Each structure stands twice: as structure tokens, then as C-alpha cells.
Amino acid sequence: GTTPGQVAERVKQELAALGKERPDLNLIAVQDQSVFVRASFDDAMRELLIGALAASLVVFFFFRNLRNTLVTVAGLPIILLGTFAAMSALDMTINMVSLMALTLSVGLIIDDAIVVRENIFRHMEMGKTPKQASSDGTAEVAMPVVAMSLTIVAVFLPVAFVGGLIGKFLNSFGLVVSIAVLISLLEALTFAPMLSAYLFKQ
């Protein structure tokens, strides 16, 4: 995706090139909103990191185990990177709306992994090995997790198709949330059980 800073730099480069082509014109930047946009962009990125840290602390509070917490939140960077990759493939820009959507999605995208790993942990308490518990625990909650994620997508995806002026601002919001939730679903049913099978202790 294209960041606000990259857009501003391209505009400045085009203005500089135009000034060289037309030396008779005196081009002056009366106002530069890119400074404010960059500051807002940096704030949004910071809030995204704080949100991820806060979600990790909540998981740690309930699991009371550092290893289980790390295994649970390990998929978070993968989900975020996957969302950025999908945004790039769809030619979406990284802007305030898409970053706000990602910030709000941090709590949603970790839910699936929490449900799966908690059920895996329950099967381990029944005396099963981590590998067997990962297989049985994931299969047991697969359908509820899919239903939960698709319900969220069903709510946010229509927002991506809103028309008019409001749609210009909300289209990327609905798409980003839906993409992040779908990637988190895939992570919860694949990466989460794999880590649990090999990193959980008996």
C-alpha cells in the first residue's frame, strides 16, 4: 500500500519537475497538510502497537502463563502482515481509515486464536499429548469459530459497498476489517494449532 508520506513526496517531486519544465512559473506551496497527515499516521501506528500490547496483557492475565500467552499472540504479526499484503494486492492505500480499521480489529482478530488455544489447553488437562489435544481441540471448536468470524464479516463487509461521499471514507474500513478477520480465521485453524502442538508443554 501507499503511505501518506509517499503520496506527499510524489506530489512534491511532480511540482519540482513542473518547475523545471516551466521556469517562467513561480510555484509556492501555500500550505502543506502532509505534516499533519504524517503525524496522524504515526499516531495511528502507535495506537495499533499499543492495542496489540494491551491485547497481549489481557491474554496473559487470563492464561497466567507466559509461554501460552506468547503462543497465543504469535499469530498477531502474521495476521497484520497478511492484511497489509492483501491491501497491497487490492491496490488499497494505507491511510487513516484503514489504520483505524486495523486498530479496531486487533481485539477481533485474536479472538479466534484464544478460543482455539483455550480448548486445546482443556484437552491437555484431560491428559492428552499436545499434538493430540491440538487436533481434537481445534476440530471441536472449528465450526463455532468459523461461524463467529463469518458473522463479523457479514456485518462489516456491506460497509465496503456503501455509495456516495460516506462510502469513499468507509469502503476501505469495511474491507480491511473483513480481510483481517478472515486471515485471523485461517491462522486460528492452522498456525495456532501447529504452535500449540509443538510449543505447549505436557
Side-chain angles (χ1 to χ4, degrees):
T2 305
T3 64
Q6 291 174 330
V7 174
E9 287 302 320
R10 289 178 184 176
V11 171
K12 291 176 182 178
Q13 289 173 5
E14 289 297 324
L15 286 175
L18 182 60
K20 291 180 180 179
E21 292 178 4
R22 296 291 303 274
D24 55 314
L25 295 179
N26 187 17
L27 300 176
I28 300 174
V30 179
Q31 193 174 16
D32 188 359
Q33 287 289 336
S34 66
V35 177
F36 169 75
V37 173
R38 283 180 179 177
S40 301
F41 178 82
D42 292 339
D43 288 341
M45 288 297 293
R46 184 171 63 249
E47 293 300 325
L48 179 61
L49 294 175
I50 292 174
L53 178 61
S56 303
L57 291 176
V58 171
V59 173
F60 178 74
F61 178 78
F62 284 97
F63 276 176
R64 302 293 179 87
N65 184 290
L66 183 60
R67 177 188 289 266
N68 293 350
T69 301
L70 293 176
V71 170
T72 301
V73 301
L76 194 55
I78 294 176
I79 297 170
L80 293 176
L81 289 174
T83 304
F84 281 127
M87 290 171 61
S88 178
L90 294 173
D91 203 23
M92 298 173 60
T93 59
I94 301 173
N95 50 48
M96 293 300 299
V97 176
S98 58
L99 281 176
M100 181 178 66
L102 273 176
T103 303
L104 294 176
S105 299
V106 168
L108 298 174
I109 61 182
I110 204 174
D111 285 351
D112 295 340
I114 291 175
V115 172
V116 170
R117 286 195 172 97
E118 178 61 28
N119 200 50
I120 292 172
F121 192 71
R122 184 178 68 84
H123 277 265
M124 287 180 60
E125 288 181 328
M126 295 164 58
K128 297 180 180 180
T129 63
K131 289 184 180 180
Q132 188 63 41
S134 298
S135 177
D136 296 345
T138 304
E140 191 174 52
V141 297
M143 289 306 295
V145 167
V146 170
M148 181 173 62
S149 297
L150 292 183
T151 301
I152 296 173
V153 173
V155 171
F156 283 97
L157 190 58
V159 177
F161 301 101
V162 174
L165 182 61
I166 298 298
K168 296 293 184 182
F169 294 96
L170 294 182
N171 287 347
S172 60
F173 183 88
L175 273 177
V176 169
V177 173
S178 300
I179 291 170
V181 170
L182 289 175
I183 293 176
S184 74
L185 172 62
L186 181 63
E187 184 273 338
L189 297 179
T190 55
F191 187 69
M194 185 271 290
L195 282 184
S196 302
Y198 291 97
L199 295 183
F200 270 2
K201 283 188 175 182
Q202 183 70 37

